């Protein structure tokens, strides 16, 4: 289904970027989970536009309201509905017949036979508000089932500026390290270079891309389903559903294709009775199922399509046209996309944790 | 669900590598589709082991039989059941307590609490027989709905031997070019080098990885669903569900993260009334929906885990052990994985084509 | 899933009876469907409380608002979100520890481990607002695909007052006949008796039950899926999901069990080239698939559980207690349940019509 | 989906009545469940034709074979495939152009555009082999989660011969009581009358219908999902998917519509700390969720459509024709349908028990 995600903890999102509101219905959230609304709002604040000089100037407070499913901060087991009002929508910026390069104008038109005046609609990154709100609830469910599990994400590269953490350094990255700068890159000095690069791009009306890193720590072994719903398959699905993403790799990823099998293999050891591996080229999954090691993945994000330069394209009636965009856009989606990637990993994990309960009768 | 794929054309696969048989039930295949059994068998023959010196010596004829849903070569609209007998299974090769490095022995044990004597079970690439059989049926459905649509796959790299086609060269690759050598690499001279590399690895008991390329041509614009079921998200899910895969990229992929937005954008033009783009960094999708251009993706496959060298690992009761595998394995999965990637792309497309019919009342 | 219905036209409902609002997200509605908001509101007005002396005195205007998915009265193909504010909620009426006889207090407590102070929650008939709102959209989709198709429902019995229409009379019942009285019984003189019976029950603080009839006319032959998703199975599921329902029958139903096969069979005839049956004991379905005849079903509704008489029951801590309810309730749900049954039949049919498009490649 | 049932314990069935085989793939069965093959075969033997003078003379041993998912009698957690060979198929009995009255010939033709020569196809009761085989596995899962839970079914009426058990008598019915006669009616003297009635019908080439009763005892409170997936809605769906069924009622059912609310209500009492009700008009469900009382339902089965008398109908090309059937059929489906109803109740309960585990984090 187009706007649903998850088999057990299933979310249904709604809302156009320039419509009345965006939000989510969560079906299948267990009862008796304590929700801290300040924490939920914190998730949304990290995603919202206007939080730094590098993000869109669209002014949205993104204050979340709950309309169902939670009473006195406790989940009831019934559907949870969370919504955020759009305050600063400007549909008139989009009311034209131009097929913007690398936007979804044409593919939506081909699919639906219409080009709504409300702008980007569901193709806008504004729909990710719903994902982040849902993840803020999912996080509390995970904390109840697997308290040690931790999901963090950061900006791993911007254009050709690339973090180079050793595995050991990577394991020590904290949420505070990531939030220490507006880029959300835990390498502080690289973050400064990234910021300059983005500012330069912005000043020339251009945009840049980069890669996200997501790390899932202390995930119980045994998560994920064989064959089609492998953990990495679900994660790839989740990450490639985020606007502007073009690639996904787990563990050794594309670089691992150049290794030999004897280099790549991760031998098992016993450490205080716990099974561990001495390397982690697998990225925490074998046969599609978690093995208890760090689950590590990287996601490629293309440069933002809205460049404030004149471009040549065509209109809906096939006429050539010169086009310079209006609208308010980020010169680089990475710093905000960090939060969305974290949200999607959270939604994958909560669903697999709940599904796993149906596989284990002894628990 | 673990062993199901697709929303409309839904397949349920079954079968352990060293059990009685492997197969698939297809629910939701439209009626009145003509099936050519020689063509179905051809799909299976391209995937089966023992087809060249580079593949596993396991002897499986992989003769497919149909038990339901097709009569006189015509689909009935009822569930189709296809199965292949396992003939050369050797469960005794796997009846031990060793946790093989980078195999699924430990993660399956953690998940299910047992280590079946029948070997790799569902983690073996043998389960892909079911996918290929299902795709052979799906291909006929696609041919009915979108006759011009073509799906091809090939070996794009082995270790650091990488094809370097221009976009124009790539568009001209034919199935015959791919089948011209046992590597399934359409660059014939590179294929010879790849073959030598694999043979060398095999001779030393080692294995190699590489990348697959998949191209979907003449896909109608408008395919894919917004938000969670974007075309690239479904493709990534499908490809990362193939054993040994570690990465996925579409269009410009990871390389595109280093481009600027003004370089990356694909402007629209009108060509004989058809909307086209003058570049295709998007890889044929915008906003998760096909735009009519070539859908191009690459998939990273790790080197095979079964290396015929002594390795140090542990047993299920946490004791260190020296391990040299028995069993019959490919030194490189790429040539056979080509067929599975083609199958998975076929299964994604057939489902979206059928789903698309529910979105378009005028058609 | 608990609060979702439909495979293609999938609705997700939310909202507690005494929470902030009730509503629905519709995923999978085709684009370019024209919505008449007055008609949508008309559906809700027919369901709302306070519409006659026989219904609950709870004052809810039930004004529907659309937050996403429709622009200028045209569906966009994106998720539609419709919600209704609760205005006259009184959670304090329910803030106690009494297990009300034949209410869901105990079974919800057993399931969720809590007894929310907001009252009936999802067990209240107030959740049916969401179903009716969704059906008002679905009706427009049906009108586009199968313009002649008509779905009507009425009160067929109240207690032992039972309509006795011939098949021919039944076929002539119009929506206007049903709306002619506040009982929604197309037999006007029987409606007067029903009204007296309900009034008498209400005056003594008691309640009554009865049966609904639903008729689907001009349904194309070929709707419904073999085996598990037979048309009658989907309809039974839909109808038994309505609060207070205890039975479902289609065609000859329970009475038909006393007929012989030779009496019961419906022979085929050709009428102007159209295949018809000369009797309709099958109720319009054979093998789970519509045959083009009237689809006729009856639904049993128990008497309302809230009787304004003292009853003996227990509290959550197992103490005996005398209990006389507060709250506002209908003495008989039938007149309002008519609209909900109509809504559920509409939601089943729209889903099967859309699903059917994936089965028929020629169309 | 047409041939799938269940959300967690999901079965996919396949097989035409006169094709090669019928069977089922079970996805989502937990691992480490012990399967007793004699018990599985016992389920199938109770369903199979030819078991008494009252059933079809078709000779099918219905020996079940397992092709995947179970090793040494232990479920692996992977998909289970069970199949039964058709031995005595006679497609030639069905190779004609006659639209048999009250059979699915016409509705299938309308749906699929073809009339397969293999006969009833998926509309034949032979497909229920798959359901019964799946239920035999599901029963073992239930025994692991809820050992006291018991599901039994019996023939409650044949034509107008109706059992009249008090609630107390009903609770004491044992499987042995039911299997004591070939009718599967626990009232032995009534069973003799039923047998005579069926024999008489058979002798005149006619058929009879009747009602099944299903009782689920010791079901934990809290099972079922609010709103659309109420326990009674799932059961109704399951039962109405059985061939030849026309009605479903739970608890007081249709008779309850004539009671007043104060008569119908089931007050709560505490019995040794357990919450019970002093009557059970609700039939064990309130608000769609089990309350721990007996879940009692009745299912209406129409008389078999295949009467061995000449009937007038039409051919596929609309020509009138006299028709007397060939083929082998039961004069009354009730005794064998008992087993199918038991199977379907088992499949509903196993799925809800597994689903319930995802709702209860404390368990």
């Amino acid at each position: 289904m187009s706007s649903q995600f998850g088999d057990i903890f299933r979310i249904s999102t709604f809302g156009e970027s320039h419509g009345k509101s965006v939000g989510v219905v969560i079906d299948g959230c267990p009862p008796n989970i304590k929700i801290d609304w300040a924490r939920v709002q914190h998730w949304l604040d990290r995603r919202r536009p206007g939080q730094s000089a590098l993000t869109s100037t669209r002014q949205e407070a993104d204050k979340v309201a709950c309309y169902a499913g939670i009473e006195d901060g406790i989940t009831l087991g019934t559907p949870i509905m969370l919504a955020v009002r759009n305050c600063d929508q400007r549909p008139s910026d989009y009311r034209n017949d131009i097929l913007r390069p690398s936007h979804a104008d044409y593919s939506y038109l081909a699919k639906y036979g219409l080009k709504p005046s409300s702008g980007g609609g569901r193709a806008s990154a504004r729909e990710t508000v719903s994902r982040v709100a849902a993840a803020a609830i999912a996080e509390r469910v995970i904390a109840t089932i697997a308290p040690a599990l931790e999901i963090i994400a950061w900006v791993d590269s911007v254009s050709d500026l690339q973090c180079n953490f050793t595995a050991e350094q990577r394991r020590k990255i904290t949420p505070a390290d990531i939030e220490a700068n507006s880029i959300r890159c835990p390498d502080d000095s690289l973050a400064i270079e990234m910021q300059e690069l983005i500012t330069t791009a912005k000043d020339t009306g251009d945009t840049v891309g980069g890669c996200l890193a997501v790390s899932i720590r202390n995930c119980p072994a045994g998560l994920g389903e064989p064959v089609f719903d492998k953990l990495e398959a679900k994660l790839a699905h989740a990450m490639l559903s985020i606007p502007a993403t073009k690639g996904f790799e787990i563990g050794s990823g594309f670089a691992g294709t150049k290794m030999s099998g004897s280099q790549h293999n991760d031998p098992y050891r016993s450490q205080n009775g716990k099974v561990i591996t001495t390397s982690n080229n697998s990225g925490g999954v074998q046969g599609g199922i978690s093995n208890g090691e760090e689950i590590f993945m990287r996601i490629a994000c293309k440069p933002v399509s809205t460049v404030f330069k004149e471009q040549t394209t065509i209109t809906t009636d096939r006429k050539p046209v010169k086009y310079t965009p209006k609208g308010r856009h980020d010169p680089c989606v990475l710093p905000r996309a960090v939060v969305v990637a974290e949200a999607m990993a959270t939604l994958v994990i909560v669903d697999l944790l709940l599904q796993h309960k149906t596989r284990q009768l002894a628990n």
Side-chain angles (χ1 to χ4, degrees), chain A residues 154 164-174 177 215 217 280 294:
Chain A
W154 64 85
N164 276 302
F165 297 115
T166 64
E168 199 188 357
Q169 288 174 321
R170 201 172 70 198
R171 269 196 297 275
K172 291 181 180 162
I173 296 170
T174 65
D177 294 338
S215 170
R217 298 161 175 174
N280 188 15
E294 182 200 19

Side-chain angles (χ1 to χ4, degrees), chain A residues 50 77 80 107 115 125 145 167 171 188 240 250 259 280 287 318 362:
Chain A
I80 297 167
S107 52
K115 188 169 178 300
I145 305 175
R171 269 196 297 275
D188 254 332
L240 265 292
I250 189 162
M259 298 167 76
N280 188 15
R318 284 28 174 185

